Amino acid sequence: MPVSWRNPRQKLLLCAGLDLLGLVLILVGIVNIRSQSLEGQQIWIVATITAYLLLGWLLGTYTVLGWRRLPRWALLQRLGLCLLTTLMVIAILRWLINPPQDVWLVYRSIQVSWLLPTMLWSLLMRVSLRRGALQAEAPQLLLIASEVEVQKVLKPWQQTPTQLMPRWLPAEEVIKQPGQIVIAISPSVQQHPDHYRWLDALQQRDPRECSFTTPLAVAEQQLERLPPTLLPEPWLSYSEIPWNTLFSPQRQLKRVADVVVALMLLTVTAPLMLIACLLIWLEDHGPVFYIQERSGWLGQTFTVLKLRTMKVAPKHAPVTWTTPGDQRITRIGRWLRRSRLDELPQLINVLRGDMSLIGPRPERPELEQELEARIPHYRKRHWMQPGLSGWAQVCAPYAASVEDSELKLSYDLYYLKHFSTWLDLLILLRTIKTVLKVAGQ
């Protein structure tokens, strides 16, 4: 049974590997045609390949493969931008380093003759991957659920559409479906009187072509989140989470990394924060910092420090959500939010132990009272230290409503259950991507 639906990044990694293959093969072809030696070119080979792959990741030429639909023009634009920026990076490096004349690989004509065919190769590989030409055909993803709960079960996929969407069919129709299928069975269907009859008919099929799971398991594996509405009650005790092990090497490494990285970031970004503070003060002569109470580990409150990005509110103004295009955001504040520079003072909270670099974002206690009342399992997000960035922050948009908070909670619960050093590293890389693209909100 193909497992591509289980790993959302499998196709992206395959695509990066195919890009690397294309870069190498085209370079070998150029060397043979020109009868040139690669002696002394190694550094520039590595620089060009690294720039092309990293810029392809940064500009989203790999992430488009996860889209529900793939507009060819958008893909061509991203690949073209990747080509131009790679040429620009190598040109700048050549100007800064000024390599000897015998380093022929940095010549603009050579770079174009190498990277232009590579861009066309990348386009062909992405289109082929989307059409299933380079991978086994994905199975049908079918849902068996009662008619009254179909919309609730399908809501997670409607919020974050994927290329392979589950399709609801009556059990009698599922039995007739040919080919490879993955059947997600809602737990409530097991109470149906005909449950064992059609389940027995499905179990008689070749197990390589027909497998069974639940909507929750599909969401966890395919969407990499745990929608609260699909979780049973009770679900996941504190003793079951990876974070709970007091002397876990991963937990100890996380704290060491928090301190070391926070000190490094404070040192490196201190000039930027000073400039930002000056610009904030020059805009409206108001306070530079914004001090606020947030909920931390096990719901205990702590004081968080941020660079002020909004107009100074009246003393007794009610607590409200921040919405996209909010008129309270200042001009410099809008830029600080997009670049995430307004979060830098929270590195002090990380050093104090109030926060971690990676974890669920701390929310205001005034808003959490409503969220806990309306969203199942909301309080479980307090079972880990809050973070400067997190799985929800790199996967979901800014929360401006209860529904948005439920979406972000689904990612927080996934992180809670699957906490690991590798997941933290993935979140860190995606946070860097967001900062470099100035794509925050």
Side-chain angles (χ1 to χ4, degrees):
M1 173 67 67
V3 294
S4 59
W5 65 275
R6 295 178 181 270
N7 188 349
R9 283 180 293 278
Q10 184 186 56
K11 189 176 290 186
L12 276 61
L13 292 173
L14 175 60
C15 187
L18 290 169
D19 279 355
L20 177 60
L21 177 64
L23 284 161
V24 172
L25 291 177
I26 294 169
L27 177 61
V28 170
I30 292 173
V31 170
N32 290 331
I33 292 172
R34 295 178 58 91
S35 299
Q36 294 275 12
S37 170
L38 288 177
E39 184 178 354
Q41 317 294 316
Q42 290 85 350
I43 293 177
W44 293 97
I45 292 174
V46 173
T48 303
I49 291 176
T50 302
Y52 186 84
L53 295 178
L54 282 179
L55 288 168
W57 167 71
L58 182 62
L59 296 170
T61 68
Y62 300 118
T63 54
V64 293
L65 291 171
W67 289 5
R68 181 76 177 97
R69 289 182 172 82
L70 180 61
R72 300 289 172 80
W73 179 243
L75 176 58
L76 192 58
Q77 279 183 318
R78 294 191 179 206
L79 288 171
L81 186 58
C82 178
L83 166 66
L84 293 175
T85 50
T86 303
L87 291 172
M88 188 182 303
V89 166
I90 299 302
I92 293 172
L93 288 176
R94 179 188 178 189
W95 176 73
L96 291 173
I97 299 174
N98 192 22
Q101 291 293 325
D102 59 349
V103 180
W104 56 270
L105 195 62
V106 296
Y107 296 161
R108 187 176 302 168
S109 59
I110 299 298
Q111 285 282 315
V112 171
S113 63
W114 183 13
L115 294 178
L116 183 58
T118 298
M119 186 197 79
L120 298 176
W121 165 276
S122 298
L123 178 64
L124 177 63
M125 292 302 101
R126 283 154 178 74
V127 173
S128 299
L129 283 170
R130 284 291 294 207
R131 292 186 173 181
L134 299 176
Q135 282 185 316
E137 184 180 356
Q140 294 186 74
L141 184 53
L142 304 177
L143 169 67
I144 297 180
S146 62
E147 293 188 34
V148 295
E149 64 176 349
V150 168
Q151 288 305 314
K152 184 186 81 168
V153 174
L154 292 180
K155 182 180 177 181
W157 285 270
Q158 294 168 351
Q159 290 175 312
T160 52
T162 62
Q163 185 181 355
L164 182 60
M165 299 285 284
R167 183 161 58 101
W168 176 78
L169 287 175
E172 296 76 12
E173 294 297 321
V174 172
I175 298 175
K176 302 175 184 177
Q177 294 299 308
Q180 295 177 330
I181 56 176
V182 173
I183 305 172
I185 305 174
S186 172
S188 65
V189 175
Q190 297 178 13
Q191 302 173 5
H192 194 280
D194 293 331
H195 167 70
Y196 291 103
R197 179 180 60 80
W198 54 256
L199 181 61
D200 183 63
L202 288 168
Q203 287 177 335
Q204 293 181 27
R205 295 180 58 167
D206 189 335
R208 294 171 297 180
E209 295 187 352
C210 179
S211 65
F212 302 91
T213 183
T214 64
L216 177 60
V218 175
E220 182 175 2
Q221 295 163 344
Q222 184 191 43
L223 304 180
E224 295 186 305
R225 62 191 187 92
L226 290 164
T229 53
L230 298 184
L231 294 173
E233 189 64 59
W235 172 80
L236 195 69
S237 67
Y238 182 75
S239 61
E240 294 175 297
I241 64 173
W243 174 258
N244 177 58
T245 307
L246 183 60
F247 297 105
S248 164
Q250 292 191 113
R251 180 172 178 175
Q252 303 305 318
L253 179 61
K254 184 179 177 70
R255 180 56 187 161
V256 171
D258 283 345
V259 174
V260 172
V261 175
L263 285 172
M264 291 174 58
L265 287 176
L266 279 173
T267 303
V268 172
T269 60
L272 281 176
M273 281 198 283
L274 288 174
I275 295 172
C277 289
L278 178 61
L279 293 174
I280 293 170
W281 184 82
L282 287 175
E283 182 166 358
D284 59 11
H285 295 278
V288 170
F289 293 105
Y290 179 60
I291 300 173
Q292 193 178 66
E293 290 292 313
R294 294 289 178 99
S295 296
W297 187 63
L298 298 183
Q300 299 173 4
T301 59
F302 68 99
T303 303
V304 73
L305 190 64
K306 299 178 65 174
L307 293 176
R308 182 173 61 87
T309 59
M310 289 188 171
K311 299 172 183 176
V312 179
K315 189 173 183 180
H316 299 291
V319 176
T320 57
W321 297 97
T322 303
T323 57
D326 200 312
Q327 296 301 309
R328 296 173 296 169
I329 301 175
T330 62
R331 286 177 297 174
I332 183 62
R334 200 169 304 280
W335 180 78
L336 289 173
R337 281 172 170 260
R338 290 184 62 84
S339 62
R340 300 285 178 92
L341 290 178
D342 63 315
E343 310 282 0
L344 287 176
Q346 293 174 51
L347 291 169
I348 298 173
N349 292 107
V350 174
L351 292 175
R352 291 175 54 187
D354 298 326
M355 296 177 62
S356 175
L357 290 175
I358 306 296
R361 282 293 294 159
E363 189 54 86
R364 287 172 287 182
E366 300 90 342
L367 294 176
E368 285 199 318
Q369 294 177 5
E370 178 185 7
L371 296 175
E372 288 181 16
R374 297 181 59 179
I375 305 176
H377 304 284
Y378 185 86
R379 195 163 182 81
K380 288 185 174 67
R381 72 194 301 274
H382 295 313
W383 287 359
M384 287 189 70
Q385 278 188 311
L388 199 61
S389 183
W391 191 232
Q393 277 58 54
V394 298
C395 293
Y398 190 86
S401 65
V402 174
E403 187 174 57
D404 291 344
S405 296
E406 182 179 330
L407 173 63
K408 301 198 82 166
L409 175 64
S410 67
Y411 288 105
D412 286 334
L413 295 177
Y414 180 90
Y415 178 75
L416 184 72
K417 182 179 178 182
H418 295 277
F419 160 72
S420 68
T421 301
W422 293 113
L423 183 55
D424 274 7
L425 182 60
L426 175 61
I427 295 170
L428 178 61
L429 291 173
R430 293 182 66 166
T431 303
I432 293 172
K433 179 179 178 179
T434 300
V435 171
L436 291 177
K437 292 177 66 176
V438 195
Q441 298 184 53

